[in-house]
Amino acid sequence: MPDAQPLLKISAIGKQFPGVRALHNVDLTLNQGEVLSLVGENGAGKSTMMKILAGVHTPDEGTIELDGRAVQIGSVREAQKHGIALIHQELNLSDNLDIASNIFLGNEPHKYGVLDRKRIYEESAGYLKRVGLDFPTDTLVADLTIGHQQLVEISKALSVDARIIIMDEPTSSLSKKESGNLFEVIRDLKSQGIAIIYISHRLGEVMDLSDRVAVLRDGENAGELVGDEITHDAMVKLMVGRDVSQFYNRTATPPGEVVLELDRLRTPVHPTVEISFNVCSGEIVGIAGLVGAGRTELLQSIFGVTPAVGGTMKLEGKVLNPRTSLDAIDSGVVLAPEDRKRHGLVLEMSVRENISLARLRQDQKVGMIDFRGEAELAEETIVKMNVKTPHAEQITQYLSGGNQQKVVLGKWLAMNPRLLLLDEPTRGIDIGSKQEIYRLMEDLAASGVAVLFVSSEMEEVLGMADRALVMHEGAITGELPRDQLSEEAIMQLATGKKAAA
Amino acid sequence: MNKNTLGILGLFILIFGITWASNENFANGYNMTNLVKWSSLYAIMGIGVAFVIITGGIDLSIGSVIGLVAALMALAIKQGWNPTLTVFLLLGLSLVIGLIHGLLITKVKLQPFVVTLCGLLFYRGISRWLTDNQTMQYPNTEGLDSFFSGKVGLFGQFSLPSPLFFLIVIAVLAAFFLNRTIWGRYLLALGNNEDGARYSGIQTDRLKITAYVICSFLAGVSGLLFAYELDSVQPAQTGEFYELYAIAAAVLGGCSLRGGQGAIFGVIIAAAVIRLLRNSINLVGISTHLEFAIIGLVILGGVTADELIKRIVAKRRTAQVNAAKS
């Protein structure tokens, strides 16, 4: 039931970051008491859009109107004043404080600087009631589960009289039950007239929850769906801009010899859980699961940066027991990490220096850098990977996410790996580069490399994996061959249901 | 030569010119020899700490290591030890000191500031205790004297002091290591992004330890040079605060305390600037009480200018990249 005047109207918003056009000419409207879902692939601009609304970023162009009046949202505080609250994917609570202190953090009622503790605890209790969280207000946040912590975040939003609550991937680390709980709260808030902007990769949830869905693609509006139009296929089609079958056209070839063999491997984060599986030459295997399921940690143990604490690994029949990443690299195992900027690249260094970083050792002449060889390697890699950079001396910081990822992959391909590990390979990457990275994964597999990737993006797992392993709380809860892959099946396993035998 | 080094070179020439113009005694051979000598000594310390700063760390113990080495040298000679052998033992000791710092920082994961602050206190205390806090003269040790504090006369009163030759050898090796070897590249990479370097198969702990070993070793070398230069050692004072001059030279010379940046030549010129300032303040007739204040201001001005220039460059780069996109 759209009002004559929307609560929030965003027009022609644009935002540039170094090397990236994050948003271009984006429009969005939001009505009172409405759940608007914002969907799009990684890097489509959803998070940037929300950070603009929450005052974290300021837009380069465009206008934001609240109740028909143009407003500037220059800071988080101003956003709060306008009644906009953002609940981040990673919660922003202080573990060492109790629930009430967290709810009023930064907004403490006080008299001449002295905290009004009575009000803090009394009012908090009221907010907890509204979100259905039945805990004493002096419980330490550290003692709550993530699902409950999220409700504290929502209480915090209520405490500043938020009229618009933005939730960024709220269920990415919640169990099925916790998610269900959250949906109840969302419906409840809606009936209280609060508008919700819901961001998620889980299209199933989006379908259940949304009054309206806005789709972003490469920083632009890709379309909008209302009511019955909201179907899985319709959303995916808008997200990737063409039929899915054209975007992901993985045709699996029969796998070759076993390359990686894990036998009861135990990682330091889940030391009691044993993991066993194989990856074969020419195979692309996906690992799905919730955030925090231990997928990244598994890859890091295979790569040796956080060595395994038990079990055995074999690479092409030979024992692989990496204690450092150097051990793994020497054996032919490489990892394109999830956090590209922190782990994948040395951002302040040039494209050339990043590409050669792993290979230098191999090409050295008694410790000296082979500068000519290095320059040639850089040029070759730039061409081969189609890295869009003005020259090899460009500082990698100034490249777009997609090109940065190509540099990371180029660095590893120079090592001729046997096993390529990819952690969220297309996070924050535009559609064009994304497709190139998928082609590259396929080419590598075709040349006999074993590819193992972790992804939180359902479409990516469905589209690229010959086989998917699903993890939950550190364990592999099931394995799905390509013909049994579905969002439903993956979510079942990801939230802890064992595979039906 | 990068922009920073050019800037600091310009600063050097400016101060040099002003001082020359305002006091005729400045350019005489004796003063110049002294200037070269002390600049070289500062530069050697500065190069050492530059390696540590490039890793994103810090070494506050340099002055105390200098004091310790100088004190032990005097003590050993007094006890009748073979001077040449003692020199090697003391250089070995400084390597071990660096190794211990490196191990504590990488394996025990203590903060560099804390480890080397404790070092600063510990080595100073040990020096004073071993020598009973007595000032000791350096007896004449044939050969070593001219090796560490000799001069090669050039013309008039101007001569090339020993520390300059040490500096040349050290600087060439250091620059080669940093710019031409894979380890130098690794050091810069790890200083910029330690995790990123580690994920690329670089053994970051070993490299960091190496940086602390280099730093302490050069402090040890400086200790011997200073001791022979001063011809005596005061256990409570020799080398005191020198770590601050070394760090100042490294920072003014283009090393960022955030790590990942450094140019050996810049550090040498910066060391010369600091030394030159002390000399100029005397000769130009400014109250020597203002010495520290002026040095502090110049360093602050230098790094501020550097930071502002960097920001402008970054902005221009971003604009270029975005322009190329659309």
Side-chain angles (χ1 to χ4, degrees):
Chain A
M1 24 135 216
D3 289 338
Q5 177 153 293
L7 173 60
L8 173 74
K9 186 164 187 286
I10 297 168
S11 318
I13 288 283
K15 176 76 187 171
Q16 294 259 0
F17 290 115
V20 196
R21 194 178 67 181
L23 290 174
H24 179 64
N25 211 8
V26 174
D27 299 328
L28 216 59
T29 56
L30 180 68
N31 300 308
Q32 202 180 349
E34 178 186 44
V35 177
L36 169 72
S37 285
L38 196 60
V39 299
E41 302 230 293
N42 283 329
K46 296 166 295 188
S47 293
T48 311
M49 186 71 242
M50 292 310 108
K51 283 183 182 156
I52 284 175
L53 279 179
V56 181
H57 295 320
T58 45
D60 299 335
E61 47 199 25
T63 54
I64 301 173
E65 287 173 38
L66 268 171
D67 300 320
R69 279 200 317 273
V71 291
Q72 301 282 337
I73 306 176
S75 66
V76 177
R77 201 153 261 263
E78 276 179 47
Q80 272 184 7
K81 241 184 266 160
H82 291 306
I84 302 173
L86 170 64
I87 297 176
H88 283 278
Q89 187 171 0
E90 282 109 32
L91 302 175
N92 280 327
L93 298 174
S94 301
D95 275 1
N96 55 334
L97 298 178
D98 63 23
I99 293 179
S101 310
N102 266 290
I103 290 178
F104 281 99
L105 196 62
N107 273 307
E108 291 85 354
H110 60 89
K111 283 176 194 143
Y112 310 112
V114 180
L115 289 179
D116 185 351
R117 293 175 61 86
K118 192 162 165 251
R119 245 184 85 193
I120 291 179
Y121 286 95
E122 278 176 9
E123 289 187 17
S124 299
Y127 297 124
L128 289 189
K129 208 167 203 168
R130 275 175 76 186
V131 299
L133 186 59
D134 191 15
F135 277 98
T137 50
D138 58 357
T139 312
L140 277 187
V141 162
D143 297 336
L144 300 176
T145 64
I146 294 185
H148 290 144
Q149 290 184 5
Q150 210 149 35
L151 297 179
V152 174
E153 280 269 18
I154 295 174
S155 309
K156 193 173 167 180
L158 294 176
S159 78
V160 294
D161 291 320
R163 295 186 296 161
I164 300 173
I165 298 181
I166 306 166
M167 300 186 184
D168 190 0
E169 299 273 358
T171 56
S172 59
S173 38
L174 297 192
S175 72
K176 199 149 196 166
K177 186 156 165 276
E178 288 173 321
S179 300
N181 239 337
L182 179 71
F183 300 154
E184 281 307 304
V185 173
I186 290 176
R187 292 197 181 100
D188 218 45
L189 292 173
K190 189 179 141 175
S191 69
Q192 296 169 27
I194 291 171
I196 310 275
I197 301 181
Y198 189 84
I199 302 176
S200 180
H201 278 132
R202 309 267 166 74
L203 300 183
E205 291 170 1
V206 170
M207 268 159 58
D208 289 350
L209 215 56
S210 320
D211 300 312
R212 208 151 49 87
V213 173
V215 185
L216 291 182
R217 180 172 69 236
D218 276 346
E220 299 185 36
N221 287 100
E224 208 174 278
L225 303 165
V226 186
D228 291 343
E229 294 166 18
I230 306 174
T231 63
H232 187 274
D233 286 351
M235 283 189 278
V236 174
K237 194 168 173 178
L238 287 176
M239 278 160 60
V240 302
R242 63 209 90 173
D243 279 327
V244 200
S245 55
Q246 283 167 16
F247 194 65
Y248 302 100
N249 54 358
R250 168 84 184 137
T251 40
T253 47
E257 302 276 290
V258 173
V259 172
L260 177 72
E261 200 179 338
L262 260 61
D263 186 20
R264 284 167 291 160
L265 193 80
R266 293 184 287 122
T267 65
V269 261
H270 296 281
T272 56
V273 182
E274 297 179 335
I275 299 174
S276 305
F277 65 86
N278 293 344
V279 184
C280 298
S281 160
E283 208 181 13
I284 299 181
V285 176
I287 303 180
L290 301 178
V291 170
R295 299 170 301 168
T296 294
E297 291 77 5
L298 174 62
L299 291 195
Q300 287 178 341
S301 286
I302 300 174
F303 187 56
V305 279
T306 49
V309 292
T312 54
M313 280 192 275
K314 280 184 187 162
L315 192 80
E316 295 184 320
K318 281 199 292 273
V319 173
L320 174 71
N321 182 23
R323 309 319 286 171
T324 65
S325 58
L326 187 60
D327 296 342
I329 295 166
D330 283 344
S331 319
V333 178
V334 300
L335 167 70
E338 176 185 15
D339 193 338
R340 208 157 37 236
K341 295 178 186 206
R342 250 184 69 206
H343 298 146
L345 294 166
V346 181
L347 280 182
E348 294 84 352
M349 285 187 146
S350 67
V351 171
R352 165 178 57 87
E353 288 165 314
N354 272 287
I355 288 174
S356 67
L357 199 54
R359 254 283 285 271
L360 280 182
R361 247 178 96 248
Q362 197 170 307
D363 295 345
Q364 63 169 317
K365 290 169 188 153
V366 280
M368 285 189 289
I369 296 172
D370 170 13
F371 283 97
R372 187 182 296 170
E374 185 191 21
E376 281 168 10
L377 174 70
E379 292 301 336
E380 275 168 27
T381 307
I382 288 169
V383 173
K384 192 165 82 185
M385 302 298 299
N386 191 24
V387 182
K388 293 195 188 68
T389 175
H391 42 74
E393 298 309 311
Q394 178 75 306
I395 304 298
T396 44
Q397 194 173 358
Y398 298 107
L399 299 183
S400 70
N403 285 305
Q404 288 180 345
Q405 184 72 317
K406 288 185 207 167
V407 171
V408 173
L409 291 172
K411 169 176 75 181
W412 291 131
L413 295 196
M415 302 301 290
N416 300 313
R418 295 303 305 138
L419 171 66
L420 172 64
L421 306 171
L422 300 156
D423 198 352
E424 304 286 0
T426 63
R427 175 164 288 177
I429 285 177
D430 62 284
I431 296 262
S433 305
K434 209 162 177 171
Q435 213 164 3
E436 286 179 62
I437 284 165
Y438 293 146
R439 288 301 86 80
L440 185 83
M441 286 165 68
E442 294 191 309
D443 291 349
L444 284 171
S447 73
V449 174
V451 180
L452 180 62
F453 75 98
V454 161
S455 180
S456 296
E457 206 165 334
M458 202 57 88
E459 303 311 318
E460 193 162 279
V461 177
L462 297 178
M464 287 305 295
D466 299 341
R467 187 156 60 91
L469 304 165
V470 187
M471 289 184 73
H472 173 68
E473 290 178 358
I476 292 189
T477 43
E479 183 179 324
L480 298 163
R482 187 165 179 86
D483 54 7
Q484 287 173 30
L485 277 177
S486 71
E487 182 172 347
E488 184 59 22
I490 289 175
M491 284 315 293
Q492 287 274 338
L493 293 170
T495 52
K497 271 210 177 150
K498 288 277 175 199
Chain B
M1 213 184 296
N2 64 29
K3 283 199 184 72
N4 181 290
T5 309
L6 276 177
I8 190 82
L9 193 60
L11 185 63
F12 179 82
I13 292 168
L14 183 74
I15 302 172
F16 196 96
I18 292 173
T19 320
W20 197 355
S22 60
N23 192 321
E24 59 198 20
N25 285 330
F26 173 67
N28 77 33
Y30 177 73
N31 192 47
M32 281 297 118
T33 305
N34 251 327
L35 184 61
V36 170
K37 182 169 70 195
W38 288 103
S39 298
S40 303
L41 286 165
Y42 279 30
I44 292 170
M45 296 188 299
I47 290 172
V49 81
F51 278 98
V52 165
I53 290 177
I54 286 171
T55 69
I58 195 81
D59 189 343
L60 300 176
S61 70
I62 293 170
S64 293
V65 171
I66 287 172
L68 180 68
V69 167
L72 287 178
M73 186 72 203
L75 204 62
I77 292 170
K78 203 172 149 194
Q79 303 282 327
W81 291 32
N82 176 329
T84 312
L85 180 68
T86 310
V87 165
F88 283 106
L89 287 177
L90 288 175
L91 291 179
L93 174 69
S94 34
L95 288 172
V96 172
I97 287 174
L99 184 68
I100 292 170
H101 291 170
L103 287 172
L104 286 171
I105 289 159
T106 56
K107 304 299 175 191
V108 191
K109 301 202 188 310
L110 300 179
Q111 282 155 341
F113 192 100
V114 176
V115 169
T116 58
L117 177 65
C118 294
L120 177 150
L121 298 168
F122 183 76
Y123 310 131
R124 181 65 63 193
I126 294 293
S127 311
R128 293 177 64 171
W129 176 62
L130 285 175
T131 56
D132 242 352
N133 207 19
Q134 297 296 312
T135 300
M136 284 188 287
Q137 299 298 318
Y138 265 58
N140 199 358
T141 45
E142 203 61 46
L144 287 181
D145 260 342
S146 54
F147 185 61
F148 286 120
S149 63
K151 287 181 177 61
V152 178
L154 270 192
F155 46 84
Q157 278 181 299
F158 187 68
S159 50
L160 300 176
S162 268
L164 176 66
F165 297 105
F166 275 82
L167 172 65
I168 291 170
V169 173
I170 289 166
V172 168
L173 288 177
F176 184 82
F177 180 84
L178 194 61
N179 301 318
R180 297 273 152 186
T181 70
I182 58 170
W183 304 294
R185 176 71 63 78
Y186 288 172
L187 210 57
L188 292 167
L190 106 85
N192 273 314
N193 182 352
E194 187 171 346
D195 280 336
R198 198 161 57 91
Y199 273 72
S200 294
I202 292 170
Q203 291 170 301
T204 49
D205 282 1
R206 275 192 211 178
L207 273 161
K208 272 165 105 173
I209 294 170
T210 307
Y212 284 93
V213 168
I214 291 174
C215 183
S216 293
F217 176 74
L218 291 184
V221 172
S222 307
L224 294 169
L225 289 169
F226 275 114
Y228 274 93
E229 199 48 58
L230 300 167
D231 236 3
S232 74
V233 52
Q234 294 168 285
Q237 271 157 29
T238 302
E240 212 180 7
F241 296 130
Y242 282 9
E243 58 279 338
L244 300 183
Y245 287 119
I247 293 166
V251 170
L252 188 60
C255 297
S256 159
L257 284 181
R258 263 169 255 136
Q261 273 176 18
I264 300 299
F265 190 62
V267 175
I268 296 171
I269 304 294
V273 166
I274 293 171
R275 193 59 219 182
L276 174 65
L277 269 176
R278 296 188 72 172
N279 191 221
S280 304
I281 289 163
N282 260 317
L283 294 175
V284 172
I286 301 171
S287 163
T288 48
H289 294 142
L290 270 175
E291 184 185 304
F292 283 125
I294 291 173
I295 294 175
L297 276 180
V298 168
I299 295 171
L300 190 65
V303 294
T304 308
D306 186 37
E307 185 61 38
L308 292 179
I309 290 168
K310 255 185 234 153
R311 225 174 273 176
I312 293 166
V313 170
K315 214 173 238 172
R316 201 178 296 159
R317 255 204 153 121
T318 305
Q320 271 172 9
V321 170
N322 284 337
K325 284 250 156 178
S326 45

